[in-house]
Amino acid sequence: MEYEAVIGLEVHAQMLTKTKLFCSCSASFGDDPNANTCPICLGFPGVLPKLNRQAVEYAIRTGLALGCRINGKSVFSRKNYFYPDLPKGYQISQYDLPLCSGGNLKARVLGDDGRVAYEKEVRITRIHMEEDAGKSLHEASRDIRSSLIDLNRACTPLMEIVSEPDIRSAREASAYLKELRQVLLYLGVCDGNMEEGSLRCDANVSLRPKGSEKLGTRTETKNVNSFRFLERAIEYEIRRQEMILSTGGTIVQETRLFDANTGETRSMRSKEEAHDYRYFPEPDLLPLVVSEAQISDISARLPELPEAKRQRFISDYSLSDYDAGILSSDKVLASFFEKTAKLCGDAKVAANWIQTEVLCEVKDVETELPKAKVTPETLAALITLIQKGTISGKIAKDVFGDMWTSGKEPEEIVKSKGLVQVSDEGELAKVIDNVIAANAKQVEQYKGGKQSVFGFFVGAVMKATQGKANPAVVNRLLKEKLG
């Protein structure tokens, strides 16, 4: 029997607020354990949580960007369960009345050649706010094993973005998560750092006979924190469930963990249903009410989103869909491109330089590009030198390498190293005469009809001038002299 995968993702995105969701403790990452805690985020008896206004705006901003309905009234609830890193025994979350409902996101799914194969629309079920739990730290020494609890993360503000089970493959799931991360970064509501856990997802996977509408029993793989791990976890889970079903077995509804070392998922616990959490309205927080005026104000301040920017790059700069997709994939990269293109006046050339030379130098665009010694201004100046014929494209690549390491202006490098392009026809004619005289055999081949030898002469002239000869002039003079 042929099976079809049915996949939905629950994405947890930590909001970029300075303080936690219900108290004024810092929400920064990497501080000393338990340095950022207080009676409120630790859930001491008698304390009163106070909702972070910035977090509410960020959640609304995200909901609007994803086409969600912003509910004028939403309610916080207590989700009751006990883990060591949640000592108060409940999590303040939203349940039946979330802040955002509905919506959708279009993801660009890549084919094996790295090009966009098709667009996949995934419906958004809901976006709700909730506080994070703490973190368990497990240590083992020669004599003793111990577990420690760091509650710095307790009560940091999360958005849980829940999709409908519209995804059909690991590749589609990864494309959806990448697109969602781009949107969150463009909105400035989450730093998208998956290594630090700012963005992580749970993958719900089930199989059903192809053509059937009835959903199968699903498993949930928790806290996957990279695109590659997400694909591997889903692919493994599909294979595992398919093997069980094809041999007459039954899928157990459970929560599983992904082991990156083995590439396998393993059972963590049985999957709870909503009634297991004994949700009830949080008694210390009033219902959250947002007005139409507030929603309109936030809507008016939404930035241009990745898909809109991609389309604008195609229409305004005549870029290909592929180039526009790469350059709009990151807000920092998009800004770098636009500034360079406007300064040098040639968007296509700017796009080529950024996609080749610049992206070869940076591994992480968001963190490394803003600190790079080559700026849009200096890159545009380099491109302008080529456009004016001051240096050749080949020499420009060497100049770029120097700029990247030294941070010097391109004009300064060209002048100090004597790299100005030679365009003087008399000077180049002498070099060409010498090359022709020294290579009688190749001349004979060329005149005998072997056109490919022409490149040999161009290369010889460039070598003789240390790459400084103007290629256009060289090509013209060579053709004239070779006849």
Side-chain angles (χ1 to χ4, degrees):
M1 180 180 294
E2 188 176 359
Y3 292 98
E4 176 183 57
V6 179
I7 303 162
L9 296 187
E10 298 174 10
V11 178
H12 286 91
Q14 181 176 328
M15 290 185 268
L16 264 177
T17 56
K18 292 181 179 177
T19 58
K20 295 184 178 181
L21 188 55
F22 299 120
C23 66
S24 59
C25 289
S26 171
S28 65
F29 176 85
D31 291 343
D32 290 339
N34 297 309
N36 303 324
T37 57
C38 72
I40 294 176
C41 56
L42 296 178
F44 282 13
V47 298
L48 292 175
K50 182 179 179 181
L51 183 58
N52 187 322
R53 178 184 291 270
Q54 185 75 70
V56 176
E57 172 166 342
Y58 283 175
I60 293 174
R61 190 184 295 185
T62 305
L64 290 170
L66 296 177
C68 297
R69 180 179 69 255
I70 309 302
N71 297 315
K73 178 182 176 182
S74 61
V75 172
F76 284 96
S77 297
R78 287 190 179 182
K79 182 180 181 182
N80 295 279
Y81 62 97
F82 181 79
Y83 286 136
D85 55 12
L86 187 67
K88 66 182 180 182
Y90 64 87
Q91 176 189 30
I92 301 178
S93 180
Q94 292 189 308
Y95 176 47
D96 54 342
L97 294 172
L99 180 59
C100 311
S101 303
N104 64 82
L105 181 67
K106 284 184 180 177
R108 293 157 62 82
V109 184
L110 302 182
D112 292 334
D113 61 355
R115 302 270 173 172
V116 177
Y118 61 94
E119 287 192 341
K120 174 72 179 182
E121 183 168 339
V122 179
R123 293 169 294 159
I124 306 294
T125 310
R126 56 188 275 147
I127 301 175
H128 65 256
M129 294 189 293
E130 64 184 24
E131 60 178 344
D132 206 348
K135 184 177 182 181
S136 298
L137 305 170
H138 305 293
E139 294 186 346
S141 64
R142 182 179 302 172
D143 303 319
I144 191 170
R145 290 183 177 180
S146 60
S147 292
L148 308 172
I149 305 297
D150 178 4
L151 293 168
N152 277 350
R153 203 175 66 181
C155 198
T156 52
L158 299 178
M159 285 182 287
E160 182 169 342
I161 304 165
V162 182
S163 84
E164 292 288 315
D166 293 339
I167 299 166
R168 295 290 173 266
S169 68
R171 186 171 292 186
E172 286 186 1
S174 178
Y176 165 80
L177 186 59
K178 286 177 182 175
E179 188 71 28
L180 180 58
R181 181 175 181 273
Q182 282 182 20
V183 171
L184 296 175
L185 289 174
Y186 266 69
L187 293 170
V189 299
C190 174
D191 66 13
N193 191 323
M194 301 183 77
E195 288 187 359
E196 294 178 0
S198 301
L199 188 71
R200 55 190 191 268
C201 82
D202 306 336
N204 292 293
V205 179
S206 66
L207 295 186
R208 65 185 176 190
K210 197 157 190 177
S212 171
E213 293 295 322
K214 185 180 178 182
L215 296 175
T217 302
R218 65 186 168 91
T219 63
E220 180 187 52
T221 302
K222 293 287 288 185
N223 292 331
V224 187
N225 65 348
S226 88
F227 301 117
R228 189 165 62 89
F229 290 171
L230 177 64
E231 289 198 36
R232 291 174 65 198
I234 290 175
E235 286 168 354
Y236 176 82
E237 193 57 18
I238 290 173
R239 290 196 304 271
R240 187 187 71 85
Q241 293 188 21
E242 191 172 21
M243 186 179 71
I244 293 173
L245 293 173
S246 61
T247 55
T250 303
I251 304 299
V252 177
Q253 181 167 314
E254 61 183 353
T255 299
R256 300 179 69 85
L257 285 176
F258 175 66
D259 186 335
N261 294 319
T262 64
E264 299 176 351
T265 66
R266 65 173 188 271
S267 181
M268 178 183 179
R269 60 174 184 264
S270 61
K271 174 64 181 172
E272 295 88 349
E273 299 288 356
H275 62 259
D276 293 324
Y277 292 115
R278 295 176 292 113
Y279 281 97
F280 65 85
E282 164 60 54
D284 293 331
L285 285 168
L286 291 171
L288 172 60
V289 176
V290 292
S291 67
E292 287 297 326
Q294 288 173 301
I295 297 169
S296 297
D297 176 58
I298 295 171
S299 178
R301 291 185 281 113
L302 284 180
E304 184 181 41
L305 296 173
E307 177 59 20
K309 193 178 288 288
R310 184 178 68 83
Q311 294 295 341
R312 184 168 62 77
F313 280 4
I314 293 173
S315 61
D316 288 4
Y317 298 112
S318 300
L319 296 184
S320 68
D321 182 78
Y322 178 78
D323 289 348
I326 291 177
L327 295 169
S328 63
S329 64
D330 182 279
K331 188 165 64 172
V332 173
L333 183 63
S335 174
F336 194 99
F337 160 70
E338 282 217 90
K339 288 179 182 174
T340 306
K342 287 177 180 174
L343 288 168
C344 74
D346 191 328
K348 181 59 181 172
V349 173
N352 289 341
W353 271 89
I354 292 169
Q355 290 181 87
T356 53
E357 305 306 317
V358 174
L359 291 184
C360 279
E361 298 289 348
V362 294
K363 294 179 181 176
D364 189 327
V365 170
E366 293 158 29
T367 58
E368 295 179 13
L369 191 54
K371 301 173 186 172
K373 293 179 179 177
V374 172
T375 65
E377 289 77 12
T378 55
L379 178 58
L382 177 66
I383 294 171
T384 303
L385 289 179
I386 304 169
Q387 293 168 330
K388 289 181 177 177
T390 306
I391 57 174
S392 66
K394 183 177 183 303
I395 291 291
K397 292 189 178 183
D398 295 334
V399 175
F400 177 86
D402 200 335
M403 290 165 60
W404 192 265
T405 54
S406 68
K408 293 180 180 176
E409 298 285 333
E411 296 88 345
E412 180 184 353
I413 296 169
V414 169
K415 185 177 179 182
S416 65
K417 292 189 173 181
L419 299 175
V420 174
Q421 184 168 253
V422 178
S423 299
D424 183 275
E425 294 191 13
E427 186 177 344
L428 289 177
K430 292 178 183 176
V431 176
I432 290 171
D433 288 341
N434 291 335
V435 167
I436 291 174
N439 296 281
K441 180 181 176 183
Q442 284 78 9
V443 172
E444 186 178 345
Q445 289 175 337
Y446 180 78
K447 292 189 173 180
K450 192 175 181 180
Q451 297 295 311
S452 60
V453 182
F454 188 80
F456 164 81
F457 293 110
V458 175
V461 173
M462 297 306 288
K463 183 178 180 181
T465 58
Q466 297 180 316
K468 293 188 285 185
N470 185 320
V473 178
V474 170
N475 275 269
R476 179 167 55 78
L477 292 179
L478 266 173
K479 287 178 181 175
E480 290 173 2
K481 288 181 177 292
L482 288 170

